Amino acid sequence: MTESSQGSMRGYGPFPEGAEPTAPIGMHQPPAAHVPPQPTGGHDGQPMSETQASGPPSSGPPSSGIPAGVPSSGIPAGVPSSGIPAGRPPSSGAPSGGNPSYGPFQAAAPDPFGEKQEGWTETPYGFNAPPGRRIEPSPPPERNRLVVGILAGLVVGLLLFGTGGYFAGRATAPKTPEAAPAPAPTATGGLGVFEQSQVTINREDFAGTGLTTMSEGFLPYLSACARPKANAGEKLRVRCTLDGMSAIFVEYNSVADRDKARVKALGQAVDARSLTPGVAPAVEQATPSGRVTGNYVEYAYRLTESGATRTVAGIWWDDAQTPVAGYLLAYWEDGLGAKWDPMRDLWSRYA
């Protein structure tokens, strides 16, 4: 910058931080009473005098190199940068015959447009800004409605899926097989197939003898029946197996022969008191089925087989009217567990 240019810029010192001219170049500056003093120095770093701060005369040429009539701020000529519509007269502080000064504003500068206009707001630069559209704050979301909506959706979803799952399960579930009809009762008192077969098989061994009435209740449960050789005084005998026991039915030649065999059992009943504790006394009574009435005797004896001696327990019963008798035999310890109850139970079921 030359000395001549410095002379031409006398009175146009550098602007303070944040301030820039907004008035068109070449317009008259306001009177000195209305222009605030410049705080910064001149081009040589020395403080500017009050006369220099007032600005150059209106006839002086611009020193910034900008052609006359072109604003330095980029705003078209005739349009003020303060937001005041063009042609609006200032309220106070500006001469009536000229345009107001648009020099740099200071923080403590007075309002260049006079009194505060209605609806305008204060700005950090000390002038009033026109009212803008007020932004209404958004109302807070109604959380209660949101929670209620979520809960209602869950309930509806559960109802729909639950109902759909129920009908889907019903449609895809395997068919329950119908229960097989119960077998019709038979003429033999509701016996099963196996028992009916045993009756048919065992009846042949008792056919044509006086043992049919005494053996009738045992036929469904007997197995391995056979007719071994008869002993002295016996007409015939049928030996069978009954749940691990031996069931023997004998037809004697006479009632006397039958009574002799019973006397032998009564003698063994005396030994049973020590061999098989809990033995019952001999009695005369009818069988549980009522088919026959005769003598009932519990007895026991010792038997040696293959060098081993064991105790055998037995129940005798007969028919007082005919020369027939029957008896059950079992090993006291191995077959009955040293108890009379198992043998008594079988006899009471079928005799």
Side-chain angles (χ1 to χ4, degrees), residues 1-348:
M1 181 179 295
T2 60
E3 185 69 23
S4 59
S5 64
Q6 292 177 359
S8 63
M9 293 181 61
R10 184 69 58 183
Y12 288 84
F15 293 101
E17 181 78 18
E20 56 186 68
T22 58
I25 297 177
M27 299 184 67
H28 295 284
Q29 299 294 326
H34 297 281
V35 177
Q38 298 292 335
T40 58
H43 67 280
D44 55 357
Q46 298 298 325
M48 298 177 63
S49 64
E50 185 175 354
T51 307
Q52 292 173 339
S54 62
S58 60
S59 60
S63 61
S64 60
I66 302 175
V70 179
S72 61
S73 62
I75 302 175
V79 180
S81 63
S82 62
I84 306 300
R88 181 183 176 119
S91 57
S92 63
S96 59
N99 292 330
S101 173
Y102 293 93
F105 294 104
Q106 304 298 322
D111 184 4
F113 299 107
E115 299 179 357
K116 180 179 179 180
Q117 301 298 320
E118 181 180 358
W120 290 37
T121 58
E122 295 291 341
T123 67
Y125 298 101
F127 58 88
N128 297 329
R133 180 179 180 183
R134 182 180 179 184
I135 300 176
E136 296 293 337
S138 302
E142 298 185 5
R143 301 186 181 277
N144 293 336
R145 291 187 178 181
L146 179 60
V147 173
V148 172
I150 293 175
L151 293 178
L154 290 176
V155 172
V156 173
L158 289 175
L159 290 176
L160 292 177
F161 283 105
T163 306
Y166 171 77
F167 286 106
R170 288 287 301 274
T172 59
K175 301 296 182 180
T176 303
E178 297 181 358
T186 60
T188 56
L191 296 175
V193 176
F194 175 80
E195 287 80 8
Q196 295 181 42
S197 176
Q198 290 301 107
V199 169
T200 303
I201 294 173
N202 295 329
R203 184 167 286 146
E204 296 180 1
D205 295 312
F206 294 92
T209 68
L211 302 173
T212 53
T213 302
M214 177 174 285
S215 64
E216 185 66 28
F218 290 87
L219 292 179
Y221 312 103
L222 297 176
S223 60
C225 293
R227 287 187 179 187
K229 182 180 179 181
N231 296 328
E234 298 177 354
K235 185 175 182 179
L236 62 90
R237 64 169 44 210
V238 179
R239 186 184 184 96
C240 304
T241 300
L242 175 65
D243 294 339
M245 304 181 189
S246 295
I248 302 170
F249 302 89
V250 180
E251 182 179 3
Y252 294 90
N253 293 325
S254 63
V255 173
D257 293 329
R258 193 247 354 250
D259 291 343
K260 289 179 182 181
R262 185 179 71 246
V263 169
K264 183 179 179 180
L266 288 172
Q268 293 172 340
V270 175
D271 299 333
R273 296 174 185 176
S274 59
L275 295 176
T276 57
V279 62
V283 295
E284 185 176 353
Q285 64 180 11
T287 60
S289 65
R291 292 186 180 93
V292 297
T293 300
N295 296 282
Y296 175 88
V297 181
E298 293 181 356
Y299 63 100
Y301 59 93
R302 302 284 285 175
L303 178 65
T304 301
E305 294 177 323
S306 302
T309 302
R310 292 183 289 180
T311 300
V312 178
I315 293 179
W316 165 290
W317 78 102
D318 59 34
D319 183 7
Q321 303 301 322
T322 59
V324 295
Y327 48 95
L328 300 178
L329 299 175
Y331 292 109
W332 173 247
E333 294 181 355
D334 298 340
L336 301 177
K339 296 178 181 178
W340 283 101
D341 294 335
M343 183 176 289
R344 290 170 182 169
D345 178 61
L346 285 183
W347 181 83
S348 65

